[in-house]
Amino acid sequence: MTTVSIKEVAARAGVSPGTVSNVLNRPAKVAAATRERVEEAIRELGFVRHGSASTLRAGHSRTLGLSVIDIGNPFFTDVAAGIEDAASERGYAVILGNSAGSRAKEERNLRVLAEQRVRGVLIIPTDEDLSRLDRLREHGISVVLVDHPAHRPDQCAVAVDDVAGGRTAVAHLLARGASGVAYVTGPLTIRQCLERRQGALAALEAAGLGPDRLRVAEMAAMNARAGEKAAGDLLAAGLPDAVFCANDLLALGVLRALLQAGVRVPDDVMLMGYDDIEFAAASAVSLSSMRQPTHQLGRIATELVLDECENPETHAHQHIMFQPELVARESTR
Amino acid sequence: MTTVSIKEVAARAGVSPGTVSNVLNRPAKVAAATRERVEEAIRELGFVRHGSASTLRAGHSRTLGLSVIDIGNPFFTDVAAGIEDAASERGYAVILGNSAGSRAKEERNLRVLAEQRVRGVLIIPTDEDLSRLDRLREHGISVVLVDHPAHRPDQCAVAVDDVAGGRTAVAHLLARGASGVAYVTGPLTIRQCLERRQGALAALEAAGLGPDRLRVAEMAAMNARAGEKAAGDLLAAGLPDAVFCANDLLALGVLRALLQAGVRVPDDVMLMGYDDIEFAAASAVSLSSMRQPTHQLGRIATELVLDECENPETHAHQHIMFQPELVARESTR
DNA sequence: CCTCGTATGTAGAACGTTTTACCGACGAGC
DNA sequence: GCTCGTCGGTAAAACGTTCTACATACGAGG
C-alpha cells in the first residue's frame, strides 16, 4: 500500500531525484557506477514509476486509444491484436473502447481518451462524419484512421481497397461460370458494404453484364442470423448462380441455411464471404473469402501513429491502401 | 494544441479553481447559479479535464486494467465486451493487455498497468502461479480473477464450474447412447482442460463406467487446426461413439475433418464443444456445446472490482461460481 | 445583540515526476 | 597559467488537479 517514490530511491542511492529520473529516461547521461547504484535501489525498494505524474509533467503519456466498431467481430479483434502487439513492444498501453456501432458510445469513448491524454488514437470509425476527430487533433492527439480512407490530407490512414475486393470477388464468381450474383450485405450506409457493391458492379460491367445481374439483399445486421434470413429470402425468390456476402458472418449464416434446405454448395450455388476470418476455413464447406491483412493493418497503423507523435517534425502523413486477396476454397470450386 | 486548464475556466467564470473542481466532482456543493456559469465556461472553452493531474492528486485513476489470454478467442472477447460495457457505463476506461498465453508477456502487461496506476485489474490468468498478483495488491490495486477460482480468501473471483461442465457434457453424451468418449483437449497444464477432463471422468463413474472409457487426445494448441489434426488421429485409431472437445474451436476442426472423411455427425459420431461461441450454432452441423455466461462474467467481475476499490471498508470479497449450461444441437441429436 | 451553524467560496499546499538552469571538476588546447 | 568544453550531477520550478484549512455572509435561536 505504501507507494515508493523517486525521492526515496534517490535517498537510498545517495543521489538527487533528478538523477534517478535520468537513469529512467536517458540512462546514457549518467555514469555507469551511479546508474548501477540507482538501479539497485529501484530493485530493492520495488519502485514503479508513477505514470500519471510522468504524463503530467512531460506533457504526454505512453498510452494509445483504440476505438473499434464491434469487438465481437473477429475481423476487428484481429486488427486489435495487431495494434496491441505493436504497442506493447514499444512499451505503450492500449486503452480499448468498443463503440458497438453506436455513434454516441464512440463519442463517449473518445472523450474518455481525451481525458486520459492518450498520445494517439487509432479509430475504426462508425460513420463518415469525422469532424469530431479534428477536435482531438486540436488537443494535440494524433489520430490514425484504420480500415477507413483518410478524410483529409494531413492525416494518416490505413485502409483496404473495398472496391477492388468486391470486384475481385465477383470476377472470381463470374470466371467460375456464374451469370448472376446475389449480394447479401449489411446496411448500405456502411462504407464497406457500399464500396464492395460498387466493386461487384464494376466486375459485372467488365464482363459485359448489366447491373441488373446483381440482386442486392440488404440486411439490418451483419451476423450469421441475418445471413440465414437472407438465404431464406433467396430460396423463396429463386436462387442465383452465386451469392456474395459482405462479411463472413453473413456467409456462414447463408451457408448453413442453404445446406439445411438441401442446396448443394458450390454445385447448385457458389458462395463467397469477405474478411477470411478463422472460421471461414473451418466451416463444413470451407468458405471462399477475401482476405485482408488484419494483423498488419493494426501493426502499421500503430507504427504510423507513434511516428506521428514521437517525431512530429519528420513525420510524413501516409495514406496506405492494402489490396485484399482472394482465397478460393470449396464453396466456389 | 493549446490545452485549456481549470484555471482559465475559473477566470472566465469569475470563480476560483477550487470551485471549478467542485463543479466537476461534487456539483451539489456549489450554488446553482455559479455552477451554471462554470459549466457555461467549460463549454465555451472546450475544457477537458486532465486525467493524469487528477489521478496524481487524488491518488487513484478512473481506469481498469484487463489482461486476457487470447484476444482472438471469441470466448475471451465476449468476456472483454462485458467488462468494457460495465466499465464504460461508470466512466471508467479499460486498458487492454493480451498475454497471448505467454507468462512473460502477461508480466510485462501487469507492469504497465501498475505504472498507469489503474484502479483495479481484471485478469484471466495464464497459469496457476498467482504470486505476482499479490505484488499488485501491495501497490493498492484491487485484483479480481476472471474465469479462475480465487487463490486466497481476501480476493474476489468470478469463475465457471469447469468440473460440472465436463460432467454435464459427458453425461449428455452417455445419455444419448455413447459408451465411450474421446476427449480432445489442449495442454492438460491448463486448468480448464484439466478440470473438464475431471468432470468427464466423474460422469463416466456415475454411469458405472471406468476411466478407460475416456480416451484423451492432448493437443498443443486449442484452435481449429489442432482439432483437424486430432480428428485425423481418431480416424486412424478407430472412432469412438462420441467426441468431447475442450473448446469450440477444436470441435469445429474435428467436425470439419470428420465430415470430409465421410463420417456422419451425429449418426456415426456425436460431437460436443465447449464455450458455445457464436460460430458453434452456425456450423453446417450445428454444434452442441456448454454455454458459459461470458458477458455476465465480465460484467460482474467489473462490478466487484469497482466495489472493492470504491468502497474498501464495506466491500465483502466474493467467490462467484457460475454453472455452465448444456446447449444441445444437431451434433448430438 | 451575540453566538452558532450552514452554505458558499477561496487560498495555497500538496501529489511525483521531468526539465531547465546552473555548478564544480577535469582535461585539452594554446 | 588561462580559457573552454564536456561530463556528471544538483536544486528548484513547473505540470493541472484535488483537498484541507480557512474565510465570509446570513439566518436562526437564545
Side-chain angles (χ1 to χ4, degrees), chain B residues 7-322:
Chain B
K7 260 183 206 163
E8 314 176 43
V9 173
R12 174 99 172 202
V15 297
S16 77
T19 300
V20 177
S21 176
N22 279 335
V23 169
L24 256 31
N25 302 310
R26 321 179 199 43
K29 287 275 169 210
V30 32
T34 333
R35 192 192 323 144
E36 272 179 30
R37 243 183 319 136
V38 171
E39 279 165 354
E40 172 83 7
I42 288 180
R43 238 171 297 125
E44 288 174 354
L45 297 173
F47 165 80
V48 25
R49 172 221 254 110
H50 196 308
S52 293
S54 167
T55 295
L56 174 58
R57 173 62 232 218
H60 53 78
S61 66
R62 287 187 71 82
T63 55
L64 295 177
L66 168 62
S67 175
V68 301
I69 294 181
D70 175 12
I71 201 189
N73 184 328
F75 172 75
F76 296 119
T77 52
D78 284 355
V79 175
I83 291 170
E84 207 275 338
D85 266 12
S88 114
E89 267 175 24
R90 295 155 180 257
Y92 276 77
V94 176
I95 299 185
L96 172 70
N98 183 24
S99 58
S102 143
R103 166 122 183 225
K105 190 134 190 290
E106 182 181 285
E107 280 184 5
R108 222 169 58 186
N109 288 335
L110 290 182
R111 181 179 182 76
V112 172
L113 295 181
E115 281 203 5
Q116 296 301 321
R117 294 297 195 272
V118 294
R119 193 83 190 263
V121 165
L122 297 147
I123 183 170
I124 309 179
T126 54
D127 61 33
E128 298 306 300
D129 177 11
L130 301 177
S131 57
R132 58 216 132 101
L133 298 185
D134 298 338
R135 249 178 301 148
L136 278 183
R137 289 160 57 94
E138 284 164 18
H139 280 75
I141 299 177
S142 309
V143 176
V144 167
L145 293 173
V146 184
D147 194 34
H148 193 290
H151 83 301
R152 32 187 300 175
D154 59 340
Q155 180 176 54
C156 286
V158 185
V160 186
D161 191 335
D162 285 301
V163 176
R167 185 169 41 223
T168 305
V170 170
H172 171 66
L173 293 172
L174 297 177
R176 285 281 196 253
S179 63
V181 175
Y183 177 47
V184 175
T185 178
L188 287 172
T189 51
I190 296 180
R191 188 191 51 79
Q192 286 87 338
C193 294
L194 196 64
E195 295 193 350
R196 288 168 196 171
R197 185 190 65 167
Q198 198 180 322
L201 291 170
L204 288 172
E205 191 179 346
L209 299 171
D212 56 307
R213 297 304 184 85
L214 190 75
R215 213 193 316 162
V216 175
E218 183 175 354
M219 315 303 293
M222 295 185 74
N223 49 33
R225 187 182 312 270
E228 289 185 35
K229 187 162 172 304
D233 298 350
L234 291 178
L235 284 165
L239 282 178
D241 299 336
V243 177
F244 170 40
C245 298
N247 169 323
D248 281 345
L249 275 55
L250 285 169
L252 288 173
V254 168
L255 175 63
R256 176 168 152 70
L258 290 182
L259 291 178
Q260 257 192 336
V263 176
R264 290 169 307 162
V265 177
D267 310 289
D268 301 332
V269 181
M270 288 186 287
L271 179 61
M272 277 219 63
Y274 207 107
D275 286 348
D276 190 33
I277 63 177
E278 185 183 357
F279 308 97
S283 67
V285 177
S286 66
L287 195 64
S288 297
S289 195
M290 296 302 304
R291 174 178 303 165
Q292 309 191 69
T294 47
H295 205 271
Q296 214 187 359
L297 212 59
R299 176 167 283 277
I300 296 211
T302 307
E303 284 165 7
L304 282 177
V305 79
L306 288 181
D307 184 62
E308 176 167 342
C309 54
E310 288 181 347
N311 315 106
E313 59 295 331
T314 72
H315 176 76
H317 295 291
Q318 293 182 49
H319 296 177
I320 295 182
M321 179 75 89
F322 283 100

Side-chain angles (χ1 to χ4, degrees), chain A residues 92-106:
Chain A
Y92 275 77
V94 176
I95 299 186
L96 172 69
N98 184 25
S99 58
S102 143
R103 167 123 182 225
K105 190 132 189 293
E106 182 182 284

